Every structure is written in structure tokens, then in C-alpha cells.
Amino acid sequence: MPFSDYRLEPGSGARLGATWDGAGTNFALFSAHAEKVELCLFNETGRREIARIPLPEYTHQVWHGYLPDVRPGAFYGYRVHGPYAPEAGHRFNPNKLLLDPYARAHAGELRWHDSLFGYKVGSRKADLSFDRRDSAFVMPKCVVTPDASSWGEDVRPRTHWSKTVIYEAHVAGMTLGADHIDEPRRGTFEGLAQPGTIEHLKRLGVTAIELLPIHAFPDDRHLLDRGLVNWWGYNTMGFFAPATRYLVSHAALDEFRVMVRRLHDAGIEVILDVVYNHTAEGNQMGPTLSFRGIDNASYYLLGDDKRYYYDTTGTGNTLDVDNRRVLQMVMDSLRYWVENCHVDGFRFDLASTLGRRRDTFDPHAPFFDAVLQDPVLSRVKMIAEPWDTGNDGYQMGNFPPGWAEWNDTYRDTVRAFWKGDEGMAPAVADRLMASASTFEHRGRRPWASINFITAHDGFTLADLVAYNDKHNEANGEDNNDGHDHNVSWNHGVEGPTDDPDILALRDRQRRNLMATLLLSQGTPMILMGDEHGRSQGGNNNTYCQPGEMNWLDWSRLDDPFVAFVADLIALRNSRPLLTSERFLHAEAHNPEGRFATWRRRDGSAMDAGNWEDPDRRLMALLLQGDADRALFLAFNAGEEEASYALPPGRWHRLVDTETADVTPNRPADVEGEITLRSRSLILLEADTPGPVRSEKSAGGDE
């Protein structure tokens, strides 16, 4: 119907977005510098604009209006009028249809066309020029969506941090190769919700699945030109809407909720990898899709020359979370996913940016203080990627209490130790004890260290032991993308080989790395597919690859390594000494009387001089507690087998990476000393509870 046929009332600016109240829809959009805002309504296909309605009221920098005739399912967007003055930070262009930052759903995909840009592409004046073409025909449309939904008796698992084991996965990569899923559901939330998918996660024993970004995002134009896609999704263009590519029925948010409900029924939490540090609009030469055209100067950090962006993300722009309305949007988005969609936590991409004051990081920045006092968000899991690309961006250990952090130094240190690098003993000892030197302050606990050997960014576990160098040629960037510091070792042959000795050593090294991860203090995170040896062919930057290298191979789930990983997780969860809620030291500092000591080959305690030996690749950790059976964890990263003196008593052999055994119920069969094969790990358990004491004290050289 034409604009004149729509009933229009002032409405309210109190709640941003499109809000259906059962009788009509209230529209509210923040813009501090706009001169006029037009609501654009589209027909049921989203292809034809059927009304353009100026929002009648402007209250506290919010434009708003209420339309009794607009119902859920309606397609809409905005056109925002104001100055086009890039030198002053303003880039308004009403010819460009804009996405509502608060839209709960999008319909359709972004189709690249020069009309998406606020300036004339190819003009000698670059972004100072002005493009008058309408972009609506290539833009997704926002969808009016009711908030109400029935959750029934959904019960959040609320797994304690000390018992959490995270599985990092990609929605499509997890399910596209699954024969147990109907074709239309593969690659979607519904596919992830299928019983066979969830059964695999339960078999492993993981307690949380961390999904790579599921917020709405486009495929970058330069990738599509090369026949590639934005596979990972770190390029958000809507913080409330799920990516339509993961839905069977576009705009059907219930599919996401069903997935969450079924994972919760299985005792598995859902953690979302979220990108609140930048958007898909890029730098001054990027498209005008939403925020830039709504209020560029408010949403983004601008440089001293306001034509350009202050970029700490490497993507061209940085969201200005210090702006109270931008902070409100981020907080509203997070609460929406927790309250409306029952998400259990978040992993924040480039989280240092969220605490920035330009060139400095502030753990008391408005965002962190807002989360701390929020009654909803303060109760869910918050995980920081503790770095960004800006000045002083590496901030591991400096995030506020209550936060956990990705520990990349754990990754590099454990890799280097098992690779056989010199001088790694002191560092690896610290990392195995939840990096106490980094995290033990302000009342933080061991779980604050998210330990990982591999993640989506980098080699898989199988490639880590099969390649010395990255092989990213398929990305079309002349192998210049991806990082070069892989701390990997091919064990004699680059890539695939038929040599049985090399294959056996690679398998043992995979067991060593996985066992180290799951037997360390802190919170372990496993990469999707590492449980069965998924390879990316040496590609350590598969962000743009839609093919099988990024898929879980469901035909390999009978691989013995799957059982090895599952048994390790079960063992970890059954031994309190492996999941201590407090940092363990040489003397007990906790009610359980738990402590940890490092041992030399002769059974005596390590002293300062022992740690200084650059050739030390043999070490053992003794974990003890008043009511616990002591655990003796021995590592041999050297090239020769070696014997190790045991504390007094009889011991059970729980884990042996030489034989791939994980046998928690085996009778006590070891005493006196034990022999470790080269490049292997052994975990023993005392026959009786209580502390064990060595009769030896540290002496001279071993």
C-alpha cells in the first residue's frame, strides 16, 4: 500500500529495533547526526519497495514511529539522510538501503554491485565522490520478528568452569559431510541438532561446543571473484540476526533455538564466537550496508583525519564501544542471545579492542564494567581472544576477573616441547599448571587459561605433525597469507607418506599433544576433527575454503584416536587433581590440601639449577591431595628412552602414549621405577589415597 495508506503513530524510542507488540510494530533507530530517517517496506519477496515512511519522532538521538499495520514477517530497511562529508566523518547517502543494526533476522543474501558503495567506484575523487544509485535490489532485507518463543522445560547445563571441555566447531563444517543428515539440513543449525551429530559430541565427552561466527555476514567480494567464500565468518553485518546460510528456512530463528535446546538436553553448552570489534563495511573504500550510512561518526573510531578509520583490527574499521549507544547495542545483542536464544557463553574475537582507549588497554573500560554488573551476562561464560593488531594489543592475563582467555603461549610452548626444542622445560611446566605466572592474580582461577594445541586459525593436529611449512596456495594469495610461526615438525617427510616409522611417530606425537592438553590444569579446547586426524593439506588459513578440507569426515569416526580422546576426557573428569579449582604449588594453599611438585629422574624435587638446563626434555609432575590418589605424570620429549624413579608405593598405569592405552581401572602393577620410551608420556595413579613422600632430596646432577 502507498505511504498515505499506512497508519503512523509516534511510537517510542525506548527500545531500539523493530518490536512487534501483538497489535503493531514499533520502529526505532539511533542516529546522532541524521537529518531524516525513512523506513522502507518491501513486498513479500523483498524485491519491490512498497512504501517509504519518514519516522515522525526524534527523541534522545533515536528516530522512531509506530505502525499498527505492520506484522511479523514484513521486510524492511532504512534510508538515512544527512551530510555526505567524509572529511568530517559523515557518510550519509539515502540512496543506499541500510540494514537495521537490531534486526533479528535477514532475508536474502548480499549481492555485490557497485551501487552498494556510497561513492562512485572508480572515480578520481575516490570516496569523496557521491553515488546516487539505489542499492536496494542487491541488499538483504530485515525481517520483523516476534520475540516470544516457547522453550518448554529447557535446562541450561551450567557446567562449572573446572569441568568444562570445549569443542571448537563450524556449523557447516561439522555437518556437510554427514550421511546421517538429510541433504537440506546439512550445513545448518538443524543438521547440528540431529541425534547423530549430538551423539558424537556426547561420545567424546565434551561439555561445550564453541561455534565459529553465526551472526549475519557476507562473502567478501574479492573472495567471490576468486571462486572462494568467507568460510569462517569474521565479518559481521548484523549482531542480532543469524547467518541465513545456516538456516533451512530463511529467517527461521527457531531452528537455532531447537539446536540449542537439543544440545542442552545432551548436557552440552553452546558458546558463540562473536565479532564486536569491527563490521563488514571495511575502511573508507568499503560498502555502505548499515552502520556507516546510519551514523558513521558514532559507530566507528575515526582517525585524527576523520575521513579515515582508526583500525586496531586489521579489517579497516573499529567499532567505537566507548560510545554509549554502540555499547548499548553490544550489550543488548549479548543479552538477546542469552535470554531469547539460551546461549551459554561467548568467545570474543580480538577482545583487546573492546577495552581500548585508543593506544592503551584498560581492564576497567566501559564494556568490561558493563558486563561485570550485568545480571544476565555476569552469569555466563566469557572468553577473550586477548589481543588485537593495534599498539600494545597483546593483553593475555590482563582481562578482568570472571573472564577466561585463549592462551596462545600454551599452544606454542607445548608444541615446541614435543618438537624437541631447547630450553622449554620451565615454560612448559608453567603452562601445564594453568599458566599461574600469567593468571594467578586478583582471585582468578586456573580455568581462566583456555589451553589449546590447535584452533580454526592454523594447522590441525594431524598437519602439525606432518608439515614444517604452510601450504596455502589454494587461497590464491601466493602462499603469503597465514602465519609462518607454526612450531610444527613433519618428522622427516613433508606431508603424506607411506613410511611406517614416520607414521607411527606422528601418531604417537598426536597422542602426546592431546594427552598433554587434556591432563593440564586449566580449560582444554579441542578443534573439530582433531579427534580423527582431519587434515587441511598443510593449509593453515582456511578462512576462505568451502570444500572438504574444512569438513568433519564422518567416515573416520571409528579411528582409534577418537576412543583415545574420549577416554582421556572421561579420565580427566573423574580425577579431581586434574581439574583443580585452585592453582597448585609445591605446598598446599587450598582446603583440599592439594599440591604439585616437579621431579627429577632420581625421584628428588627439581631445583633452580635443574630448570636452567637447556637440554632438559625429561620431567615428571607429582600431584597430591589429602583425600586424592596421587598422580605421577612423566614426559620424555627426548630421542632416547629413559628410566624414572617413582615415589614409594604401588602405582596404576592410567595413560601410556606409546601403546595408546587409557586404562583407569587397571590393577596396580608398577613400583620402584618406570621406563619411558622416547617421545612419550605416562600417567600413573597411586594405589591408595593421600600424599606420598619421596625419601630423596634434591642432590647434584642427575
Side-chain angles (χ1 to χ4, degrees), residues 216-264:
F217 64 91
D219 290 312
D220 306 72
R221 191 176 198 176
H222 69 94
L223 293 176
L224 292 175
D225 289 344
R226 301 203 306 266
L228 303 171
V229 300
N230 181 354
W231 179 257
W232 287 347
Y234 291 94
N235 211 17
T236 307
M237 64 179 183
F239 296 107
F240 293 78
T244 56
R245 67 192 68 195
Y246 301 142
L247 298 169
V248 176
S249 302
H250 285 190
L253 185 58
D254 283 347
E255 295 175 23
F256 179 85
R257 293 176 172 134
V258 167
M259 177 198 73
V260 173
R261 171 67 186 268
R262 290 182 180 172
L263 286 163
H264 283 179

Side-chain angles (χ1 to χ4, degrees), residues 33-51:
H33 300 99
E35 297 170 353
K36 183 172 74 170
V37 172
E38 293 176 307
L39 171 68
C40 301
L41 300 177
F42 291 81
N43 69 356
E44 63 278 3
T45 66
R47 295 176 181 174
R48 182 169 59 88
E49 186 175 331
I50 57 177

Side-chain angles (χ1 to χ4, degrees), residues 22 42 75 127-128 243 280 286 292 298 302 336 394 410 447 490 492 552 569 602:
F42 291 81
F75 292 171
D127 62 304
L128 298 181
R292 172 175 285 136
S298 292
L302 303 180
Y336 173 75
Y394 191 78
Y410 179 96
W447 54 257
N490 65 19
L552 185 72
I569 293 174
D602 65 0

Side-chain angles (χ1 to χ4, degrees), residues 311-473:
D311 180 15
T312 63
T313 67
T315 66
N317 67 59
T318 301
L319 273 178
D320 185 4
V321 185
D322 268 1
N323 183 291
R324 64 185 182 89
R325 286 296 191 178
V326 180
L327 176 60
Q328 177 190 358
M329 177 189 71
V330 173
M331 297 296 290
D332 287 348
S333 169
L334 292 169
R335 278 191 296 267
Y336 173 75
W337 289 101
V338 174
E339 293 182 308
N340 290 61
C341 302
H342 287 206
V343 163
D344 304 287
F346 303 93
R347 180 266 190 189
F348 293 82
D349 178 64
L350 301 182
S352 293
T353 290
L354 300 174
R356 276 197 170 275
R357 299 296 176 85
R358 292 280 171 170
D359 286 334
T360 61
F361 174 83
D362 181 3
H364 300 290
F367 171 71
F368 297 130
D369 285 350
V371 169
L372 180 65
Q373 62 78 42
D374 190 278
V376 174
L377 301 181
S378 61
R379 298 184 180 185
V380 300
K381 291 180 167 69
M382 293 289 194
I383 303 170
E385 182 183 41
W387 54 81
D388 64 20
T389 65
N391 183 58
D392 199 27
Y394 191 78
Q395 292 293 332
M396 195 179 78
N398 294 330
F399 280 73
W403 282 72
E405 303 176 35
W406 269 29
N407 190 341
D408 64 320
T409 58
Y410 179 96
R411 173 197 66 198
D412 293 348
T413 301
V414 173
R415 287 183 179 191
F417 175 75
W418 284 113
K419 182 170 169 279
D421 289 357
E422 291 184 349
M424 299 310 302
V428 80
D430 183 39
R431 299 309 164 207
L432 265 64
M433 302 309 293
S435 300
S437 64
T438 301
F439 292 105
E440 192 179 14
H441 58 92
R442 295 185 290 172
R444 302 184 76 179
R445 297 297 179 93
W447 54 257
S449 176
I450 303 293
N451 302 329
F452 62 100
I453 304 294
T454 57
H456 68 274
D457 186 4
F459 280 151
T460 65
L461 186 61
D463 287 353
L464 184 65
V465 298
Y467 293 91
N468 284 347
D469 304 300
K470 66 183 182 183
H471 297 271
N472 299 356
E473 291 80 7

Side-chain angles (χ1 to χ4, degrees), residues 645-660:
L646 298 175
R650 292 175 59 81
W651 296 82
H652 306 262
R653 189 188 306 261
L654 298 182
V655 179
D656 187 338
T657 60
E658 176 187 357
T659 60

